[in-house]
Amino acid sequence: SWYGYHYYDIPPGAVDPTEYQKWGFANAVVYNPILGLIKASFVITLLKLRSPNRRINIALWSIFSANALFTIAAPLVCAFQCRPVSKFWDKTQPGTCIDPANYTYGTISVVLITDVAVVAMPTWILHNLRMPFRKKAMYISFLSFGLAVTGIGAYRLYVFVNLFTNRIHDPDASYGVRQGLSNVEVSLASIGACGGTVKWLLGRCIPVFRDEETPR
């Protein structure tokens, strides 16, 4: 793919357009399921807290269900967005494809909405618990790492809007950050889903993060 190289440093003929599109297709198909499974894991963790608040449990199950449906539907739509499928990487073939802008805007919007819903839940669950404010704020902070994921997702939407509307023409796109945003987003989501564990690990090394539950 030669990501990270200036266009003038890429040898002529080094990039096979068909192979490039095939890898892009594979990445697009698995992107939403990966994020969806990470979110599902985090929601299950919150469900295990067994909040006595019925509305919280309804909200968690609603988020889980909506996320599950999207996790199943998004890759199917992505995989079969072209008829035949191979038209995705070979535009010379006869056939049709759905509008990539509408698909991208739609999926990123759903991801952002579920991101915000998931990130808001730890605060809702913990804000009424009786514990020292410092400890409560620390737990909420670590369980809200997903805010960084939401920020990356919002920036991805901004980048794609500019891309599809041709507001910004970048001849040196291979050297930009756009190609790596989805990987950064997935990586941050994985870290965010482990927020509680990250706090525990930091507590083993940094005294300020320790509490009575952290082994000495």
Side-chain angles (χ1 to χ4, degrees), residues 73-195:
L76 291 176
V77 174
C78 183
F80 300 104
Q81 62 184 287
C82 290
R83 296 183 181 180
V85 173
S86 56
K87 185 173 174 59
F88 183 94
W89 56 79
D90 184 2
K91 302 302 182 185
T92 62
Q93 289 192 27
T96 59
C97 294
I98 63 175
D99 184 354
N102 289 337
Y103 169 78
T104 302
Y105 296 159
T107 54
I108 293 180
S109 297
V110 173
V111 168
L112 287 176
I113 291 170
T114 52
D115 280 352
V116 171
V118 170
V119 168
M121 292 309 300
T123 303
W124 188 9
I125 293 171
L126 295 175
H127 87 283
N128 281 331
L129 292 183
R130 294 181 179 178
M131 64 171 63
F133 175 78
R134 177 178 170 277
K135 182 178 179 180
K136 183 186 295 186
M138 188 180 299
Y139 273 105
I140 290 175
S141 298
F142 277 96
L143 290 173
S144 299
F145 274 169
L147 284 172
V149 181
T150 306
I152 294 293
Y155 182 67
R156 284 186 72 241
L157 180 59
Y158 165 78
V159 169
F160 278 110
V161 167
N162 286 328
L163 176 67
F164 288 124
T165 58
N166 293 317
R167 291 180 185 174
I168 299 176
H169 176 66
D170 184 7
D172 202 12
S174 62
Y175 192 69
V177 299
R178 178 176 66 86
Q179 308 294 352
L181 286 176
S182 58
N183 297 324
V184 172
E185 186 178 13
V186 169
S187 299
L188 285 176
S190 301
I191 296 172
C194 301

Side-chain angles (χ1 to χ4, degrees), residues 31-106:
Y31 165 75
N32 284 305
I34 291 173
L35 277 182
L37 290 172
I38 292 172
K39 266 183 263 196
S41 172
F42 187 67
V43 172
I44 290 172
T45 299
L46 296 179
L47 284 167
K48 287 182 177 180
L49 296 177
R50 300 185 183 279
S51 171
N53 189 321
R54 182 170 176 270
R55 288 184 297 175
I56 288 177
N57 290 316
I58 291 175
L60 286 172
W61 279 111
S62 298
I63 294 170
F64 183 86
S65 301
N67 178 67
L69 290 173
F70 179 73
T71 301
I72 295 171
L76 291 176
V77 174
C78 183
F80 300 104
Q81 62 184 287
C82 290
R83 296 183 181 180
V85 173
S86 56
K87 185 173 174 59
F88 183 94
W89 56 79
D90 184 2
K91 302 302 182 185
T92 62
Q93 289 192 27
T96 59
C97 294
I98 63 175
D99 184 354
N102 289 337
Y103 169 78
T104 302
Y105 296 159

